[in-house]
Amino acid sequence: MGEAPKEKVIEGQLLWTPREEFKNNSNVTQYMEWLRINRGKDFADYDALWQWSVTDIEDFWASIWDYFKIESSTPYKQVLDRRIMPNAKWFEGSLVNYTEHLLRHERTAKADEQVFHHLTETTPLAHMTWHELARQVRILATQMRTLGVKPGDRVVSYMPNVPETAIAMMATTAIGAVWSSAAPEFGVKTVIERFSQIEPKLMFAADGYRFGGKVFRREAEVRRIASELPTLERIVWLPFIEAGNMVPDIPHTISWSQLMSHADVSRESFKFERVPYDHPLWVVFSSGTTGLPKAIVHSHVGVLLEHQKLMHFQLDLKPNSVFFFYTTTGWMMWNLVMASLITGSSAVLYDGSPAFPSDLLWKVAAETGATSFGASPTFVQMMEKEGLVPSQKYDLSKMETMMVAGAPSTPETFNWCYRSVKKDLWVTSQSGGTEICSGFVGATPTKSVHAGEIQTRMLGMDVHSWSDDGKELVDEVGELVVTKPFPSMPVYFWKDTDGKRYHDAYFDTFKDADGNPIWRHGDFIKINKRGGCYIYGRSDSTLNRYGVRIGTAEIYRAVEQVEGVADSLIVCVELPGGHFFMPLFLRLKPDVVFDDVLQKKISAKLREDCSPRHVPDRMYAIEQIPYTLTGKKMEVPIRKLLMGWPLEKSASRDAMMNPTSIDYFVTFAQESIDYQWRPSDASANA
């Protein structure tokens, strides 16, 4: 039959309005009714609820605590100690455990009620029940305690998106140890730069992974990583590529099966480690534009409260929901897939290429009965390019929601979902970050969907668009700022003892009327009169590619080790249609030839040290890299030039160390039209 004829759609065009039954049955509507009965708060609509949530923030978050019956060994002293960022203390005095709440549904689940639907490129769809998941978590957690893993010890993972990784995360955090994960496609240097900062005691590692029909073995990489982590006492080895594979002769390595062969531990006898308000839950790594990637620490209580709100009210997940978002274990979205369990819903875990074959994810969505399906805008663009119409081939009748996250979405992206997936579909776009392990702006099931528009600001997130001089903007693009504290803010950065790196990352630009720091996220945002939001990419030098943020420092550390490279500069430009273009500019040493051989060396170095996502779309040899008078590479001004900004609004020659170096980029932006409409090659990393 083929794809239906395309209709031109414009930004902000009304595409969908929720049915009354859909709105009335939503979690947020039920919560509003609870507030009316139990708190005497009567809100006319979501917008009124949001306004209260960011005005009376202590009352709002206290209601979240009560509504979801948070289990704490001791009562909290106060919701919030002060409304000042950073270092605000949330629910001080409480003792909670995040994983205990993830697994609460085990108590009421039926024997055959499934929590995970999982498959890989070579293994068929299988299922795991709530009871089986909780049983394995208790066994592994108990054995980790036997191995000497204590609260506060760091446990790291170099594993694919399989149930064992989820079990390892939950077992780690169940006993108060601190979790951190890297995807197995990450190169050795990238992993070491992350894990060496937090000095792990134990590592979970797999023998490899599969992608696009190819096998990528990782024994040599694990061996090199372990050799650079002197604090590592144990490695738990998972034979993922070949079941029954022998444990390698890496010192202190034991097999997954050896740990899991111990006797069951009853729910009644197992004790979750309930921890204080500031105890680390996990360390996630965001891009390092200068220096090493930022080791961001989140707390149990902060993430617990935020994920209760996010999963129930913004994503509307319920015990009968099936949540499927394509992700790897190195992306914050993996943590959110795990968070879906907090609602009692089940989750789909798939490890492999999203396009092997091209319609695979839709097949999985149909077979698992996914009610909520998510992927990046790049994935949707790939589907449209291939002319795929999932609704004509697969039964997607159970799908209620399609979430497009990881990068700015376009009106065309939304329109394709309605045209090719389902007419009665709640299409949502979200934007947040690893820094908060959640979203700032996103969805609500009670509002209409407009083309390319993020429906609303999330509850408890006092998000605004500000001009460079700190003025509120409406219907204009400005900096995304958050003017009041929220629970899932980072507790701190690891080893950032004086808090300077944390402060410089988010709080060095804006202040409120009292001189207190304001969170500046680094995204361009527009908020219209009805509260709809548009994200226009990064306002700083961080690279946002396929929804994964990459620090420019990671690129430079690898590229400038290649013989013949003297200096480099990289930017990532968001293009019309939701595409990306990431060029790398190189200053070469004298007499070095810029040819295919050199470019292949650079690409190979980036793949080996970092990941395939770090490889640029194109490389250009230039005479000078532009620097400021203070010696900083001018990444943001160059990016603005390539996005079409005039020179006078992009850079000041007076503030440059080498003013003539900007001329190349002015000409490049004017004459090199080919890059402006060229999509990045997303075939490997959509």
Side-chain angles (χ1 to χ4, degrees), residues 426-486:
W426 177 31
V427 177
T428 79
S429 180
Q430 325 279 326
S431 186
T434 301
E435 299 90 339
I436 65 168
C437 212
S438 184
F440 289 119
V441 293
T444 174
T446 62
K447 300 186 79 169
S448 298
V449 172
H450 296 80
E453 183 174 305
I454 299 173
Q455 286 178 293
T456 188
R457 290 170 279 193
M458 292 190 179
L459 297 177
M461 296 293 185
D462 198 18
V463 172
H464 300 273
S465 175
W466 277 14
S467 63
D468 289 344
D469 57 356
K471 298 293 191 297
E472 180 97 10
L473 300 174
V474 177
D475 279 326
E476 291 185 52
V477 178
E479 290 275 359
L480 191 162
V481 300
V482 188
T483 61
K484 293 189 183 73
F486 51 94

Side-chain angles (χ1 to χ4, degrees), residues 32-76:
M32 291 170 71
E33 179 65 9
W34 181 88
L35 286 172
R36 186 186 67 80
I37 295 171
N38 294 276
R39 294 288 202 270
K41 305 286 186 183
D42 197 356
F43 301 108
D45 53 23
Y46 179 92
D47 291 335
L49 176 66
W50 174 81
Q51 189 60 62
W52 169 71
S53 76
V54 298
T55 302
D56 299 330
I57 57 176
E58 293 86 357
D59 288 348
F60 168 69
W61 288 107
S63 77
I64 297 296
W65 182 284
D66 293 342
Y67 186 73
F68 291 111
K69 298 180 173 63
I70 302 301
E71 298 180 36
S72 173
S73 298
T74 56
Y76 59 81

